[in-house]
Amino acid sequence: MTSVYSTTKIDPPWRNEGLLRRLYIDEQLSTKEISNRLDCGVSTVSKWLKRHGIPTRGPGGTDAVCDTLKDGEKLREEYLTKEKSTHELADELDVCAWTVHQYLIKHDIPRRGFGNVGEDNGNYKGGHTDDYGPSYQRQRKKALERDDYECQVCGMTQTQHKQERGEQLHIHHIRPFRKYGVENHEEANRLGNLISLCQQCHSRWEGVPVVPRRD
Ligand SMILES: [Zn+2]
Ligand SMILES: [Zn+2]
C-alpha cells in the first residue's frame, strides 16, 4: 500500500529534472512543445527549467518536427500524395509510427495498405507488433509482467484496456527502436527500454522518456 489515490502514482513530470533536461537540451524541444507533451502550461515549463537550473534559450526550438503532424493538409500531402508510409513518416519526423497513425486518424485521413480495421487494431505494419526483431515478443511479455500488466502512467490494467480499447496494453520503446536498428534488437528491446502504457497515455507520452514505476 503506497497511496490511497491511484492518481498520485507519479509526481508531475516537470519536477523531474532529468526529464526536462532531456527534452529541452537533448531533444531541443521548445518550452511550448514540452508543455504540450506534459500537458501543462508554458509558464510551468519555464518555471521548472529555471528551478532545475537549466539555461533557457529563448523562444523558438524545433517545432517544425511536429508541424507536419499537426497540420492536416501537410500530413495528407505526405501520406496520400507522396505516398509515404506510416513508417517512413515516423522515421522522418522522429516519432513513433503509432503517433503518425494517431494523427492520420485525427485528421481523418484514410489509411491504406492493411485495411482500416487492421490499422485501427494497432496491428498495422510499422506499429508495435512488427519489425521489432526476434527478441521483441519475449521481452514484451517480460515488460508486461514487470509492470504488473498496468499502464505505468495511469494504472489502467490489461483487462480494462482490452475491454475498453479492444487490444492489449502498448509496449513503448523509451528510446525509439529505430535509433538502434533491427540488428541491435536485443539492446533496443532490453527491459530497461520498454514500458507498458495504455493507448491514451502512449499518445500523450510519445517521445517522453517515461520510466517504469517501481513501488
Ligand atoms: Zn511508442
Ligand atoms: Zn495510461
Side-chain angles (χ1 to χ4, degrees):
M1 274 298 154
T2 47
S3 168
V4 183
Y5 302 102
S6 58
T7 48
T8 56
K9 272 171 183 158
I10 53 162
D11 272 343
W14 47 87
R15 283 175 183 269
N16 180 336
E17 181 182 343
L19 170 62
L20 277 193
R21 276 189 190 278
R22 168 146 176 202
L23 292 176
Y24 190 72
I25 296 171
D26 298 347
E27 297 192 22
Q28 289 281 304
L29 299 182
S30 67
T31 46
K32 182 155 186 298
E33 199 167 3
I34 295 173
S35 76
N36 284 337
R37 289 213 187 167
L38 302 185
D39 202 17
C40 64
V42 178
S43 59
T44 305
V45 177
S46 306
K47 189 173 86 188
W48 281 92
L49 284 172
K50 215 173 179 184
R51 209 172 272 198
H52 292 313
I54 301 169
T56 50
R57 49 166 190 271
T62 54
D63 272 350
V65 166
C66 279
D67 279 354
T68 307
L69 290 174
K70 286 181 201 147
D71 183 340
E73 284 313 305
K74 237 186 217 173
L75 185 58
R76 195 172 282 270
E77 188 190 322
E78 294 288 310
Y79 185 73
L80 292 179
T81 314
K82 297 188 188 166
E83 296 197 349
K84 289 182 186 166
S85 69
T86 313
H87 212 56
E88 280 169 331
L89 283 168
D91 271 353
E92 275 179 29
L93 303 174
D94 211 23
V95 295
C96 204
W98 190 82
T99 303
V100 176
H101 180 72
Q102 287 308 104
Y103 275 93
L104 290 173
I105 294 173
K106 191 176 162 204
H107 297 305
D108 219 8
I109 299 170
R111 277 87 61 206
R112 55 162 191 268
F114 291 81
N116 287 348
V117 176
E119 289 220 349
D120 285 345
N121 282 339
N123 293 324
Y124 58 99
K125 190 157 164 55
H128 279 183
T129 47
D130 294 318
D131 295 345
Y132 287 144
S135 61
Y136 180 63
Q137 287 307 327
R138 165 171 42 93
Q139 290 301 98
R140 175 180 200 289
K141 234 187 125 201
K142 277 197 201 164
L144 280 168
E145 277 165 19
R146 177 202 57 194
D147 295 342
D148 289 332
Y149 293 85
E150 284 180 5
C151 170
Q152 294 298 288
V153 175
C154 73
M156 183 187 255
T157 65
Q158 170 93 304
T159 314
Q160 289 170 323
H161 200 262
K162 278 183 183 164
Q163 276 166 1
E164 288 179 29
R165 307 278 173 176
E167 61 175 346
Q168 303 209 34
L169 285 172
H170 293 193
I171 298 296
H172 172 62
H173 288 85
I174 295 166
R175 183 167 186 256
F177 184 84
R178 67 183 169 278
K179 299 229 160 132
Y180 297 90
V182 78
E183 64 278 11
N184 298 312
H185 67 93
E186 293 274 4
E187 209 197 329
N189 295 328
R190 72 188 187 281
L191 220 44
N193 197 40
L194 300 178
I195 181 170
S196 314
L197 295 176
C198 74
Q199 196 188 67
Q200 207 177 356
C201 292
H202 190 185
S203 72
R204 189 167 146 200
W205 287 79
E206 189 56 62
V208 178
V210 268
V211 293
R213 171 163 53 84
R214 282 178 229 280
D215 287 329

